[in-house]
């Protein structure tokens, strides 16, 4: 099996998008290929302009969100989006971000509605075919 990390990103909250960006960054630093499949709220987080404004945390940790955001600003932690963008540059083509075709259709979106960091729109079958070539697939 190939050194490949596949992630299905369902959540669009900052506390879930940070692990996506950090895992992708670590994997490309280890010269692994990374495929990220954005669906439902994960896709919503990648609408054009949304990554720069998204401050939502999951309900599980919503009470800790203000303190966590303040701590991240104090320690000058790059945003999840900036971390993912740098991982994509570092990966030099090894990190691909795919939008779910069914979710795009459901939400009435086109590729032009998404942030330019998204590479393409694919169906779940195409993503699963690629994901089964790798050792690790995560649902976040």
């Amino acid at each position: 099996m190939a050194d490949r990390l596949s992630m299905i990103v369902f959540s669009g909250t900052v506390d879930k998008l940070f692990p996506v960006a950090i895992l992708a960054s670590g994997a490309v630093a280890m010269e692994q290929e990374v495929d990220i499949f954005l669906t439902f709220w994960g896709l919503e987080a990648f609408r054009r302009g949304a990554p720069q404004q998204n401050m939502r945390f999951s309900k599980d940790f919503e009470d800790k969100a203000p303190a966590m955001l303040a701590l991240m600003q104090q320690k000058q932690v790059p945003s999840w989006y900036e971390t993912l963008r740098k991982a994509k540059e570092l990966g030099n083509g090894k990190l691909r971000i795919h939008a779910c075709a069914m979710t795009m259709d459901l939400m009435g979106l086109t590729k032009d509605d998404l942030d330019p960091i998204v590479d393409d729109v694919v169906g779940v079958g195409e993503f699963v075919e690629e994901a089964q070539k790798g050792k690790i697939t995560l649902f976040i």
Side-chain angles (χ1 to χ4, degrees), residues 5 7-9 17 20-21 24-25 28 33-39 42-43 45-47 51 80-89 93-100 104 111 114-122 127:
L5 169 64
M7 291 186 271
I8 302 159
V9 179
L17 293 167
V20 170
S25 181
V28 295
E33 292 187 21
V34 177
D35 284 294
I36 297 174
F37 184 73
L38 305 170
T39 188
L43 180 61
F46 284 81
R47 278 188 186 232
W80 66 268
Y81 179 74
E82 189 60 25
T83 302
L84 189 60
R85 196 184 62 70
K86 286 186 179 177
K88 195 162 170 91
E89 286 176 18
K94 290 187 175 196
L95 171 54
R96 294 167 300 274
I97 302 174
H98 314 283
C100 171
M104 295 281 291
K111 174 82 170 62
L114 301 177
D115 188 274
I117 199 171
V118 178
D119 292 298
D120 56 13
V121 178
V122 301
F127 174 76

Side-chain angles (χ1 to χ4, degrees), residues 6 11 15 19 25 27 39 42 45 51 59-61 70 83 89 99-100 103 109 116 123-124 130 133 136:
S6 299
S11 176
D15 55 320
S25 181
T39 188
K59 287 285 183 194
D60 297 342
F61 300 101
T83 302
E89 286 176 18
C100 171
T103 304
L109 299 173
V124 68
E130 288 299 314
K133 295 176 185 172
I136 303 170

Side-chain angles (χ1 to χ4, degrees), residues 29-98:
M30 296 172 65
E31 301 188 6
Q32 293 186 16
E33 292 187 21
V34 177
D35 284 294
I36 297 174
F37 184 73
L38 305 170
T39 188
F40 282 84
W41 313 128
L43 180 61
E44 185 74 19
F46 284 81
R47 278 188 186 232
R48 193 173 293 274
Q52 295 80 13
Q53 298 174 357
N54 185 357
M55 295 295 161
R56 298 182 73 177
F57 270 64
S58 64
K59 287 285 183 194
D60 297 342
F61 300 101
E62 169 176 73
D63 60 324
K64 299 184 186 310
M68 183 59 76
L69 289 171
L71 186 60
M72 292 166 71
Q73 285 180 340
Q74 177 189 352
K75 296 195 174 205
Q76 300 179 338
V77 175
S79 71
W80 66 268
Y81 179 74
E82 189 60 25
T83 302
L84 189 60
R85 196 184 62 70
K86 286 186 179 177
K88 195 162 170 91
E89 286 176 18
L90 178 67
N92 197 23
K94 290 187 175 196
L95 171 54
R96 294 167 300 274
I97 302 174
H98 314 283

